[in-house]
Amino acid sequence: MKKQIRNFAVVAGAATAAFALAAGPASAVPSTVWTVNPSPASFTATNSGNVVLSVNGIAMTCTNSKASGSMASATGNPATVASISAIAFGATGAPCTSVLGNVTTVATTPWTLVAQDYTAATGVTKGYVGNVDAKVTVGACVFRVTGKASGTYTNSTGKLAVNSVTGELTVVSSTNCGSAVPVGAKPLFKGDYLVKVANTTTIPTIVGSNP
């Protein structure tokens, strides 16, 4: 019986070691080369459809939003492929609105565009908009949102589709908002932007590859 136990222990140990050797390389995250074309380049982005920030079921909707910044090739996974130096929500004559009144949003930039995964068959890069930091004012209510927002970028259309998931963004301060927008609330941000190389009609591309 003792011999059987010893034999089983040896076999189990060998199997564990073999599994560890097999699983080790597969679990490593490979470096990724991100080729942005053109690079470096300045870009502009304009919303396509409404841009919406939702907090506790309260939708704050913007029909006009613009952003600008610079983008460049990068190496790493994840990797920052663009910096958003300015982003505006609403415009003169077209303010952002909600059931609580008009909404004013002031962003603290830069925000970043971070690439994590690329699908060559579709030309789509998955990642997120990072370093999000914005002060939102609705009447007497003022709150600050920070975090990130998941999104995708499609080379064929230049569409940056931002669609955050619960927990990525957090209300870190809140004044005169009561239970409508408390500290710790988890807003959702959704909006599509069409990206162009600044002052042109050229759609920039982002391609990821493994060396």
Side-chain angles (χ1 to χ4, degrees), residues 7-74:
N7 290 342
F8 176 78
V10 170
V11 172
T16 300
F19 176 78
L21 289 172
S27 63
V29 177
S31 297
T32 301
V33 174
W34 297 96
T35 303
V36 176
N37 186 31
S39 174
S42 297
F43 73 86
T44 58
T46 304
N47 67 299
S48 174
N50 291 340
V51 174
V52 182
L53 177 71
S54 300
V55 188
N56 286 339
I58 300 172
M60 303 176 190
T61 304
C62 302
T63 60
N64 187 295
S65 182
K66 298 182 183 298
S68 61
S70 59
M71 55 198 311
S73 299

Side-chain angles (χ1 to χ4, degrees), residues 118-141:
Y118 178 71
T119 302
T122 57
V124 174
T125 295
K126 292 182 180 179
Y128 60 87
V129 176
N131 203 37
V132 173
D133 190 342
K135 184 177 76 171
V136 183
T137 302
V138 189
C141 169

